[in-house]
Amino acid sequence: MGYTHYLERPPEFQNFGAIALATKLCCEAVRKLGIDIVGGHGEPDSEPEFGYDRIWFNGSSKQKPGQWTAEGDFGIVWPSNKSKPMPSSDTVVSGQWFGGAELEKRIAPNGDGSYETLNISRVYKANEWSKKDENGNYFDFCKTAYRPYDVLVMCAYLVAKYYDNRCVIGSDGQASEWKIAVAITAKALTTEEKALWKLLEIGS
């Protein structure tokens, strides 16, 4: 349970070099926003990978203090309903659901911006529990807990779908949560945002 994005992916990607390069460009844009992107284990001084065989990153366990951090334990967080007015308060919490707080924006609680590793390999490493769906895809996901690196996870999934249309993207996030990732990815791919919105199968 927790805020997650989903990717149904082929056994081997087409155009993986282009996927990795475009995701790296998105990473540079996300870092300019002040979001720390590091290696897959979340270690502050580590580097993400955008290579021939895999894309591998996480948020930093020591996100720089600022707009992306907040003090406190917020439980299992969920994005707030952006159609409702934000309560007049300095807090990022706009409400509660049964698992924890509803947040108005992505945050690193107590400065910890890391959560599950985003790992997209060129060739899927199947195990005895792996099963292909009716389209020949394997199911993958990344639970981000709505931490700041969530933006780059969405960009990576968008780029994968853009270069290999066999992919299918799913998300716990509504369209309002994807706006920033669509804008960043469109710039990296030098394409129009409306072309990327057509790739998403998410709620409005």
Side-chain angles (χ1 to χ4, degrees):
M1 182 172 65
Y3 186 74
T4 306
H5 305 299
Y6 310 92
L7 183 68
E8 297 168 32
R9 54 147 301 165
E12 183 171 357
F13 274 105
Q14 298 171 351
N15 307 308
F16 194 77
I19 293 171
L21 178 58
T23 305
K24 183 178 181 180
L25 292 175
C26 291
C27 178
E28 293 169 0
V30 169
R31 281 174 160 173
K32 287 179 180 178
L33 297 175
I35 298 172
D36 293 335
I37 302 295
V38 297
H41 299 307
E43 298 166 341
D45 296 325
S46 61
E47 286 297 321
E49 293 182 21
F50 305 99
Y52 176 75
D53 285 317
R54 72 172 179 175
I55 296 165
W56 187 75
F57 65 82
N58 204 328
S60 173
S61 62
K62 293 184 179 179
Q63 165 67 35
K64 289 188 295 291
Q67 64 170 322
W68 300 106
T69 62
E71 296 301 313
D73 180 5
F74 301 97
I76 302 172
V77 305
W78 208 260
S80 65
N81 184 340
K82 300 300 189 295
S83 65
K84 295 181 179 179
M86 173 69 176
S88 55
S89 172
D90 292 333
T91 181
V92 297
V93 177
S94 60
Q96 296 287 325
W97 70 300
F98 72 88
E102 292 182 351
L103 300 182
E104 187 65 16
K105 65 177 184 177
R106 297 167 178 85
I107 60 162
N110 299 315
D112 187 356
S114 66
Y115 210 69
E116 285 190 354
T117 303
L118 187 283
N119 184 13
I120 303 176
S121 58
R122 180 176 57 84
V123 178
Y124 185 81
K125 296 176 177 61
N127 56 47
E128 59 183 300
W129 300 284
S130 302
K131 291 184 179 179
K132 293 181 183 179
D133 64 17
E134 63 275 11
N135 298 315
N137 283 340
Y138 288 106
F139 177 75
D140 202 358
F141 65 92
C142 184
K143 187 177 296 185
T144 68
Y146 205 48
R147 299 197 179 184
Y149 83 109
D150 174 74
V151 175
L152 188 57
V153 171
M154 291 189 290
C155 291
Y157 280 6
L158 270 172
V159 169
K161 172 70 174 178
Y162 181 83
Y163 281 110
D164 195 330
N165 198 48
R166 294 173 295 174
C167 294
V168 178
I169 300 171
S171 179
D172 289 337
Q174 301 298 304
S176 59
E177 306 303 333
W178 281 80
K179 287 181 180 178
I180 185 172
V182 168
I184 289 170
T185 307
K187 188 171 183 179
L189 295 172
T190 61
T191 191
E192 294 184 0
E193 291 185 20
K194 63 181 180 181
L196 297 181
W197 282 115
K198 292 179 181 178
L199 303 179
L200 289 171
E201 299 181 16
I202 59 174
S204 59

